Amino acid sequence: MRITLHHFAAVAILVGGTLGLSPYAPGQQAMRTADAVSLQSAPPSQPDATDPVADPGAVVVMGRTRFTVLTPELIRMEWASDGKFEDHASFVFLNRKLPLVPFDRTELEHGHKLVLKTSALTLTYTPGAGLRSHQDGRFTPENLTIDMTVDGKPVKWRPGLADDQNLMGTTRTLDGAVGEKTREPIEEGLISRSGWAVVDDSSRPLFDSSDFSFKDGQNSPWPWVIERPAGDRQDWYFFGYGHDYRKALGDYVKVAGRIPLPPRFAFGAWWSRYWDYSDQEIEEIVRGFHENSVPLDVFVIDMGWHISREQLQARGEKDQSGHGLGWSGYSWNKLLFPDPDQFLTRLHADHLKTSLNLHPASGIQPWEDAYPAMARAMGIDPASRQYVPFDATDKKWATNYINLVLRPLEKQGIDFWWLDWQQEKNTKMAGVNPTFWLNYVHFTDQQRQGVRPLLFHRWGGLGNHRYQIGFSGDTVSVWPSLAFQPWFTATAANVGYAYWSHDIGGHMPGAVDPELFTRWVEFGAFSPILRTHTTKNPDSERRIWVYPEPFSSILRSTFQLRYALQPYIYTEARRTYDTGVAFLRPLYYDWPEVPEAYTNRNEYLFGDQMLVAPVVEAAEKTSGLAAEKVWLPEGEWIEWPTGKRIAGPASVDRSFSIEQTPVYVKAGAIVPMQPPMRYTGEKPVDPLIVNVWPLKPGAKSSYSVYEDSGVSVDYQRGVYACTPITAAQDGDTLRLEIGPVQGDYPGMPKTRGYELRLPADWPPASVTVNGAPVAQAGPTGEGGWRFEGNTLTTIIPVASGAVDQRVTIEVRRADGLTARRGELDGFAGAMSRLRGAYDALNTMSRMTAPPDPLVDAMQSGDRLGYHPEKATEELAHFHAAVPQAQSAVAAASKDVRQRIEETVKWAQDEHKNMGGDTPLNGDAQRQRMLDALTRAERLVGEAGK
């Protein structure tokens, strides 16, 4: 059995496997434990109210300036030439009424100098200082300073001070990007190594209302855009959080709105492709997913769903807006989709959510099905065939667009929209970005319908974190593009943008190398959204079952791994909503004072339990191993695919075969998983799989698994449930407690079984569940606990019971074995490497066979699975067997290499003696055999590393 991260996922689904992080000593800088930010402390009953008018006690006015102390580290600074200040919500800042924080106000120099001092910042404003031309009080470097302490050092900010340490945010699109060469610049973020960041809100448009509750559904007021009042003004927000990046982002969502929790299905797999599919072809693709055991939740249909350019050209039509003909469209292509209603019903019967591509720039043209109604609603005679121009900032136009153009398609079965806006940068209202505004209109329309919104769109600028999910655009399918995306995705967290969806595999120009595609999918499984995509090129392929082996099997297991992790991912997504900290985020959030946390751009945290360093470069061809230097912060880390323990802080050179994804956890963590499913919510999560990595004696760890309906907005009102899990290691005994569940939601299971999995550890001497002994399973694996030898994983089934009851599991190992865990170090990785060497030599069956010492070492895990009671003897034998296997492979290789040369020479001589006119070329076959030998030698040499 090949032991890899993906096999380990299959073990997590079928046999056993796990992830997790250990507790750490008080004061130790490390990844935060799951219970460090309790889910039970989430907003308890109602969504956050928004009030753009600050508490008067937080406000200080001096002449034409107004200062608002929002938090000890966040101050709003306004100057207005007319002395009139702005209290409307802006596109970014919706809520300024925060709890009052203490601060000192001091006026000096007969009222000509103001000092505001919080626990973190000291603001000094002297309006008369500086040039006479600037003595109207506007903010200048001469009259305004803010002092703070960053990493124990004094820092002074003045207006205009350049910040070359900003940690950056994100950008609208990666269209055409090759690696980090983007067409549009990356915008600045809300955090910086300098300790401060400034958001200039002076020219951003405003909302005419601050009521975003939509409590009356579609009868609710719909806040709409208004322009800033005329006049010279400054409206700045100073973020002075030092290196407490988590707090900066947590406070940001308090004033700018939370990061919504997407529907649960969004965390499943998405299919999309730029291709003019017929309904039959789409149904064939869906069948392919089912027949090949690949789960799927979302089918995105690109532009081919609507009337095409060629069809319109044949009719003699022209796009009256001046945009490309056929780029926009709202009417089904009835040749490809003869009966859209029945087609969508079939997709829904397959439990798929469906999205259609939109390019709204062309307005509503006269050939659209909705044109007559839209034209009349906008005062245009349909008989004139005059198109209805795009004008999303006109509330009347937007309302009719939603109700008359989109709503009929939604009633047919469209679940959400892919808003692929990319035509222009302006609207008819000055300062209103069409990308941002269309995102707002579409997202809040769903909120007014009372559903949990989902929108697939491009980044529209600061504040767009409220309207997920992002479409990053059309990247080039090369290794540098993959290498850029981990950093790009994590860095977006610096502006609260938690949900980038990338074209997994890249978009263009065509065929992609199977290794590159597989590595891209492996990254996608550990990213916010797993969505494959490609361009309209027949050489492009994203059906994973069409790829050759071993890639097809690895791709399949990677999709299955993604689904197995859904309870963990969904819990971390809820934490993102509660905290404002994206679950995929940079390392420096947790290790802000460590330089390596900034320089290792390929690494990121994936929730509170995992550190991921995806492979983004091609492997060495002969061995098939990809070399990677990985930096690990302080603590004891476990490499998931190999079981290798690494003490941090450390930079280590590691190598990974194609089926291995570098994922690291800290000893002692808990990660929830679920059984196999064809789609999200196919069945209740029963059993809930609880993975616990080895705890040090005396250590404890905990996690709380979050659940809700997956579709309702009631999660914002406290309608959800959490299942607490705690683990404690006392000598050689592990005690685990699960439940009782806290909270409730419609459809919540009242009973549930569990399956405890303990990887990378010794098998138990005894197991009890609620005090009752659990026997070891028989040869079929039924009837008790079992041991998966290749990954050293104990699997303990727990019968179904009421979720409002606590389950207690005790696992006792033989005396002294917990102290001997070092003997297990890297065992799963060794099994994988030994099997790889065995497979390589088996390709040369005419020349050699795997030597017995190699087979003996390779079968160690297999024997452990049959007889876990012999674990100490078997591990001792394994450590002696590996050097013997390495020597045997080296000797066999030397012998076979000599025979290869002799065989090739004999074949050439025979060919010549038989009158061959041209020399026999055996180079290709010879090289294949030599490569197999080299691979076997390299892999067996890596065993245990």
Side-chain angles (χ1 to χ4, degrees):
M1 182 178 292
R2 188 178 299 275
I3 308 303
T4 66
L5 177 57
H6 306 299
H7 165 70
F8 213 18
V11 170
I13 297 171
L14 303 172
V15 189
T18 183
L19 295 173
L21 282 176
S22 69
Y24 34 85
Q28 179 181 353
Q29 183 65 47
M31 288 173 66
R32 302 187 178 196
T33 53
D35 56 336
V37 183
S38 171
L39 289 170
Q40 279 72 45
S41 65
S45 60
Q46 292 294 332
D48 292 337
T50 54
D51 187 345
V53 181
D55 189 299
V59 176
V60 175
V61 177
M62 184 178 188
R64 299 176 186 176
T65 61
R66 181 172 71 170
F67 299 97
T68 306
V69 181
L70 297 167
T71 76
E73 301 87 357
L74 177 57
I75 299 178
R76 185 189 187 192
M77 305 174 292
E78 297 172 272
W79 171 85
S81 59
D82 56 7
K84 296 179 180 178
F85 306 112
E86 187 53 68
D87 282 330
H88 285 89
S90 77
F91 273 16
V92 176
F93 298 99
L94 308 181
N95 180 48
R96 305 184 187 99
K97 195 166 189 177
L98 301 184
L100 286 173
V101 298
F103 67 92
D104 295 327
R105 168 184 175 173
T106 305
E107 292 190 15
L108 303 172
E109 300 178 8
H110 305 289
H112 295 292
K113 183 176 183 178
L114 174 68
V115 178
L116 301 178
K117 185 176 179 59
T118 74
S119 59
L121 307 175
T122 299
L123 181 151
T124 304
Y125 175 59
T126 311
L131 299 174
R132 185 176 300 275
S133 59
H134 290 167
Q135 289 184 0
D136 55 3
R138 73 177 67 235
F139 301 137
T140 70
E142 292 79 20
N143 67 17
L144 179 65
T145 62
I146 296 180
D147 290 279
M148 57 188 298
T149 300
V150 179
D151 192 20
K153 301 174 184 178
V155 171
K156 183 183 292 291
W157 172 85
R158 300 176 184 273
L161 181 65
D163 180 15
D164 58 1
Q165 298 187 76
N166 190 278
L167 291 167
M168 309 309 291
T170 195
T171 190
R172 188 180 69 91
T173 180
L174 295 182
D175 278 348
V178 178
E180 57 186 43
K181 297 178 181 177
T182 61
R183 291 180 178 175
E184 300 185 16
I186 307 290
E187 300 168 17
E188 288 196 343
L190 297 166
I191 57 177
S192 171
R193 294 186 77 174
S194 68
W196 57 267
V198 177
V199 175
D200 186 350
D201 207 43
S202 307
S203 60
R204 278 195 181 88
L206 309 170
F207 287 106
D208 61 4
S209 167
S210 62
D211 184 3
F212 297 93
S213 67
F214 306 115
K215 58 185 178 182
D216 295 323
Q218 291 180 293
N219 294 321
S220 302
W222 197 359
W224 208 252
V225 61
I226 56 176
E227 294 186 57
R228 288 259 179 178
D232 197 3
R233 63 192 68 252
Q234 295 167 309
D235 190 353
W236 299 347
Y237 291 77
F238 183 86
F239 289 73
Y241 287 82
H243 293 164
D244 194 346
Y245 305 137
R246 285 175 173 267
K247 190 172 192 299
L249 294 164
D251 285 350
Y252 172 67
V253 298
K254 292 176 184 177
V255 294
R258 293 191 181 274
I259 305 167
L261 177 62
R264 187 165 180 141
F265 71 79
F267 298 102
W270 298 33
W271 171 275
S272 67
R273 184 181 183 180
Y274 181 32
W275 193 268
D276 295 339
Y277 286 119
S278 69
D279 54 356
Q280 294 187 77
E281 290 172 298
I282 290 175
E283 290 171 2
E284 289 168 3
I285 291 171
V286 174
R287 281 198 299 273
F289 273 88
H290 295 332
E291 292 169 357
N292 289 279
S293 301
V294 182
L296 183 67
D297 266 280
V298 177
F299 205 106
V300 180
I301 308 177
D302 212 318
M303 292 168 48
W305 75 273
H306 59 68
I307 300 172
S308 70
R309 177 184 61 185
E310 292 76 15
Q311 290 169 325
L312 294 171
Q313 287 175 334
R315 298 181 192 178
E317 299 283 7
K318 293 185 178 180
D319 188 311
Q320 297 178 36
S321 71
H323 294 100
L325 186 65
W327 199 251
S328 292
Y330 303 96
S331 306
W332 288 96
N333 184 329
K334 291 299 183 67
L335 291 177
L336 296 176
F337 301 91
D339 193 325
D341 296 82
Q342 290 199 54
F343 162 69
L344 292 172
T345 298
R346 289 179 181 177
L347 286 187
H348 285 147
D350 276 318
H351 304 279
L352 296 178
K353 306 298 182 183
T354 308
S355 179
L356 297 182
N357 178 282
L358 293 180
H359 293 98
S362 293
I364 312 303
Q365 300 288 335
W367 57 77
E368 302 290 0
D369 294 342
Y371 170 75
M374 183 70 175
R376 283 191 291 268
M378 296 304 296
I380 298 173
D381 181 2
S384 70
R385 300 194 85 246
Q386 176 188 345
Y387 89 112
V388 182
F390 169 82
D391 189 4
T393 56
D394 179 350
K395 197 170 189 177
K396 178 181 178 182
W397 185 95
T399 302
N400 290 326
Y401 164 72
I402 292 290
N403 292 335
L404 303 177
V405 180
L406 299 187
R407 197 73 78 228
L409 294 165
E410 293 171 355
K411 290 179 179 178
Q412 285 183 308
I414 301 307
D415 297 287
F416 65 99
W417 298 101
W418 175 10
L419 193 57
D420 193 10
W421 174 273
Q422 56 190 338
Q423 281 77 11
E424 294 155 6
K425 296 183 179 180
N426 301 301
T427 61
K428 292 184 178 180
M429 183 176 290
V432 178
N433 178 304
T435 305
F436 182 101
W437 188 246
L438 280 168
N439 294 342
Y440 169 80
V441 169
H442 284 78
F443 197 85
T444 54
D445 172 63
Q446 295 175 75
Q447 290 180 299
R448 295 173 76 232
Q449 294 180 64
V451 301
R452 191 185 299 190
L454 182 66
L455 181 66
F456 186 35
H457 64 92
R458 296 172 187 265
W459 164 257
L462 204 59
N464 225 163
H465 67 281
R466 300 189 295 266
Y467 319 121
Q468 34 70 19
I469 287 167
F471 165 54
S472 67
D474 304 340
T475 55
V476 179
S477 300
V478 291
W479 285 100
S481 294
L482 169 58
F484 179 61
Q485 287 185 1
W487 177 87
F488 179 81
T489 311
T491 302
N494 297 343
V495 287
Y497 204 52
Y499 294 103
W500 268 125
S501 170
H502 300 297
D503 288 1
I504 297 298
H507 182 73
M508 54 194 175
V512 61
D513 176 74
E515 181 191 359
L516 172 57
F517 181 55
T518 301
R519 289 303 191 188
W520 222 316
V521 170
E522 289 171 349
F523 163 64
F526 290 91
S527 67
I529 304 296
L530 174 57
R531 177 186 58 86
T532 60
H533 189 74
T534 188
T535 189
K536 189 183 288 188
N537 184 324
D539 294 330
S540 298
E541 184 56 77
R542 294 296 180 267
R543 294 171 298 170
I544 65 174
W545 54 90
V546 176
Y547 279 79
E549 292 294 354
F551 303 103
S552 181
S553 293
I554 296 168
L555 290 163
R556 182 182 298 107
S557 64
T558 305
F559 271 67
Q560 293 168 346
L561 168 64
R562 172 71 178 200
Y563 275 74
L565 284 169
Q566 276 207 347
Y568 172 73
I569 295 173
Y570 197 63
T571 298
E572 297 304 314
R574 169 64 200 225
R575 202 183 317 280
T576 296
Y577 169 78
D578 289 338
T579 65
V581 177
F583 64 87
L584 194 160
R585 58 186 180 269
L587 302 186
Y588 47 74
Y589 284 24
D590 291 81
W591 296 276
E593 309 307 336
V594 182
E596 290 86 351
Y598 298 88
T599 56
N600 288 274
R601 290 162 49 111
N602 183 53
E603 301 176 28
Y604 57 85
L605 300 178
F606 191 68
D608 278 3
Q609 307 290 291
M610 304 180 196
L611 186 155
V612 183
V615 174
V616 295
E617 293 183 356
E620 193 273 320
K621 293 299 182 184
T622 303
S623 68
L625 298 178
E628 186 165 314
K629 183 177 285 293
V630 179
W631 176 75
L632 294 172
E634 183 178 357
E636 183 184 353
W637 296 86
I638 300 175
E639 192 173 73
W640 180 1
T642 69
K644 178 71 176 176
R645 287 172 169 82
I646 302 169
S651 290
V652 292
D653 293 314
R654 304 296 296 156
S655 60
F656 302 93
S657 53
I658 185 63
E659 63 270 29
Q660 295 177 324
T661 302
V663 177
Y664 295 85
V665 296
K666 289 194 77 176
I670 301 168
V671 169
M673 297 174 81
Q674 69 183 18
M677 297 195 187
R678 293 187 308 151
Y679 55 88
T680 299
E682 178 189 9
K683 51 194 173 185
V685 179
D686 189 4
L688 175 66
I689 299 167
V690 179
N691 303 282
V692 183
W693 288 84
L695 279 161
K696 293 180 179 180
K700 298 179 180 180
S701 62
S702 63
Y703 195 78
S704 184
V705 183
Y706 173 82
E707 296 174 283
D708 60 28
S709 70
V711 294
S712 169
V713 294
D714 285 342
Y715 76 92
Q716 299 174 339
R717 302 178 177 89
V719 183
Y720 58 82
C722 291
T723 301
I725 304 170
T726 60
Q729 185 78 40
D730 182 9
D732 291 307
T733 299
L734 172 69
R735 179 185 176 91
L736 188 88
E737 293 186 352
I738 305 174
V741 70
Q742 301 169 3
D744 196 2
Y745 62 90
M748 186 184 82
K750 301 304 179 183
T751 61
R752 168 179 277 165
Y754 302 98
E755 187 168 282
L756 174 61
R757 295 176 177 172
L758 308 173
D761 213 340
W762 295 99
S766 66
V767 175
T768 63
V769 174
N770 293 330
V774 178
Q776 183 180 346
T780 63
E782 302 295 328
W785 66 265
R786 61 197 190 277
F787 192 68
E788 203 290 307
N790 284 317
T791 56
L792 303 178
T793 300
T794 301
I795 304 101
I796 304 169
V798 178
S800 182
V803 297
D804 61 0
Q805 299 296 311
R806 178 180 287 108
V807 174
T808 301
I809 307 167
E810 286 198 354
V811 180
R812 185 183 67 81
R813 296 183 171 88
D815 292 346
L817 279 189
T818 301
R820 294 172 57 185
R821 283 174 176 159
E823 298 173 35
L824 312 177
D825 190 29
F827 183 83
M831 291 296 98
S832 178
R833 293 291 187 262
L834 292 168
R835 178 58 188 270
Y838 173 85
D839 289 343
L841 293 177
N842 265 332
T843 65
M844 303 175 60
S845 58
R846 294 184 179 182
M847 297 293 295
T848 188
D852 285 351
L854 171 61
V855 180
D856 178 33
M858 182 198 73
Q859 291 290 81
S860 297
D862 190 46
R863 292 191 295 270
L864 275 168
Y866 289 121
H867 296 288
E869 72 279 4
K870 298 181 179 179
T872 53
E873 297 92 330
E874 189 63 59
L875 264 295
H877 175 74
F878 163 76
H879 288 295
V882 169
Q884 295 172 8
Q886 292 167 338
S887 297
V889 169
S893 176
K894 181 178 180 180
D895 176 64
V896 172
R897 286 176 189 275
Q898 182 176 344
R899 285 193 286 127
I900 288 173
E901 299 300 331
E902 293 171 352
T903 300
V904 170
K905 185 177 185 304
W906 175 84
Q908 290 172 338
D909 291 344
E910 285 294 300
H911 177 70
K912 183 177 180 180
N913 293 337
M914 294 176 64
D917 295 331
T918 58
L920 179 65
N921 188 353
D923 288 348
Q925 183 178 4
R926 172 178 173 273
Q927 191 60 50
R928 281 195 297 271
M929 291 189 290
L930 292 174
D931 286 348
L933 288 173
T934 300
R935 176 173 171 79
E937 290 176 300
R938 172 75 187 278
L939 292 177
V940 76
E942 287 266 332
K945 290 186 178 180

